[in-house]
Amino acid sequence: MDGTEQPPTAAGDGGLDGGSLAGGGEAFGDRSLSQGLSVLVGLALCVTMLGLGCAVELGQLGQQLRRPVGLLLALLGQFVAMPLVAFLLALIFALDEVAAVAVLLCGCCPGGNLSNLMSVLVDGDMNLSIIMTASSTLLALFLMPLCLWVYSRPWINTAVVQLLPLGAVSLTLGSTLLPIGLGVLIRYRYPRAADLLVKISLWSLLVTLVILFILTGTMLGPDLMAHIPASVYAIAVLMPLAGYTLGYGLATIFKMPPHCRRTVSLETGCQNVQLCTAILKLTFSPELIGAMYMFPLLYALFQSAEAGLFVLIYKMYGRDSYKQDTLGEEEDTDISYKKLKEEEVPDTSYGTVTTEEHNSIQMEPTQTAL
């Protein structure tokens, strides 16, 4: 890693050693644009966390405390598997300190709301999905700074890592607790309003990502592609794919049913890119952050594309098996009950008794063959 000894001011020179993302810092130095992006990112994060809180029910939290499988899976997936994947990819592709910090930040983030939407599309367990997202978000308050401190050791002698604002990261994470708590309260008091806010938060996720892509593309122009080497694109492709695979394997080890395996897979691979973007934008100076700001957006692009591909494959090939599994689970109850009802033959020799409105009973005469 030849670029590991460069100071932060040199990162904006556009060097590509080790896959630097720091180029383009001059464009982010525009004060008005930088402040506008900060406001947009902060608002998007608040709306996302509010929607997450609105999706959580207190009864579900009580069940998870009694049998905390979702919390355990969130812990293993988001703060063991994903940080390790990010760390290994940063070493394998020999990223410099700036790019490594961006990748590690994304890998140490909790689960995102995209997984909740995708879980619906693959007939997953929505309760498990929401609990895993909420649990990982709360655990991130303590575990995300710890993971960043542990996995940044190979770059500890660089100025970027020495300036890594772990306190600001914790402060940003702590600020998300307020909208989450407000969302839980809205769900408890006004369920219909909570359902609407959940939908709004999901749409805001998509709209915000599109706006950020457009704004950053306009700000950086053709320099954007020049300062993001192929190694970074490769990590943005491989990292969510590894997360989906590890999540499915983790659920298989726990012997979970197929629909729960799909849910855990999506929960593990989908990161909270709004939180990662907010941390990068709000805690690092524009001159230092440069094009490093683009990595969570690239990750969001590829995690969405890969999750969409999985949904498409499931819709084409896995839906029938899901219906058969569901049918088999209900065979002893619903189907036997239906058969019993079909086999019942009413005695119509003297007429059929029917019930109409207002609790009136009427005898319908029928003809009996003599």
Side-chain angles (χ1 to χ4, degrees), residues 57-303:
E57 296 184 2
L58 295 178
Q60 296 174 359
L61 290 177
Q63 293 176 3
Q64 289 299 317
L65 290 177
R66 290 190 295 269
R67 190 172 180 269
V69 178
L71 189 147
L72 179 61
L73 290 171
L75 172 65
L76 294 177
Q78 297 296 344
F79 302 108
V80 176
M82 291 306 294
L84 182 60
V85 168
F87 174 73
L88 293 177
L89 288 175
L91 290 180
I92 291 172
F93 286 92
L95 297 183
D96 68 357
E97 70 276 11
V98 181
V101 167
V103 172
L104 288 176
L105 271 172
C106 193
C108 295
C109 276
N113 287 37
L114 177 66
S115 58
N116 306 142
L117 176 62
M118 292 300 178
S119 294
V120 175
L121 298 179
V122 296
D123 298 315
D125 189 331
M126 269 304 297
N127 290 335
L128 177 62
S129 177
I130 292 170
I131 289 299
M132 286 188 66
T133 303
S135 300
S136 64
T137 302
L138 296 177
L139 290 171
L141 184 62
F142 307 101
L143 295 182
M144 187 175 177
L146 177 62
C147 289
L148 288 173
W149 181 80
V150 170
Y151 287 109
S152 62
R153 297 298 93 188
W155 303 275
I156 191 61
N157 293 323
T158 64
V160 173
V161 174
Q162 290 176 354
L163 295 175
L164 185 62
L166 295 180
V169 171
S170 299
L171 182 62
T172 303
L173 289 167
S175 66
T176 64
L177 297 180
L178 180 61
I180 291 176
L182 179 60
V184 173
L185 179 62
I186 293 175
R187 165 61 65 182
Y188 178 73
R189 298 292 298 273
Y190 311 102
R192 292 185 178 180
D195 292 335
L196 178 61
L197 288 173
V198 170
K199 295 178 181 179
I200 292 175
S201 68
L202 291 175
W203 279 106
S204 70
L205 166 64
L206 302 176
V207 172
T208 302
L209 291 177
V210 171
I211 293 176
L212 288 175
F213 270 116
I214 293 174
L215 289 179
T216 51
T218 303
M219 290 165 59
L220 293 178
D223 291 339
L224 177 62
M225 300 300 296
H227 291 107
I228 301 180
S231 60
V232 175
Y233 282 101
I235 292 177
V237 172
L238 294 174
M239 198 165 146
L241 185 62
Y244 295 141
T245 304
L246 290 174
Y248 197 90
L250 187 64
T252 303
I253 294 175
F254 276 78
K255 298 181 180 180
M256 305 189 76
H259 70 290
C260 291
R261 295 179 189 178
R262 295 191 294 270
T263 302
V264 176
S265 174
L266 290 169
E267 280 294 327
T268 305
C270 290
Q271 302 296 89
N272 191 334
V273 292
Q274 301 100 308
L275 178 61
C276 184
T277 303
I279 292 175
L280 288 173
K281 193 70 185 70
L282 302 177
T283 60
F284 287 96
S285 65
E287 294 77 12
L288 176 61
I289 186 174
M292 179 175 68
Y293 169 77
M294 286 298 296
F295 181 77
L297 300 180
L298 291 176
Y299 188 94
L301 175 64
F302 289 111
Q303 81 172 3

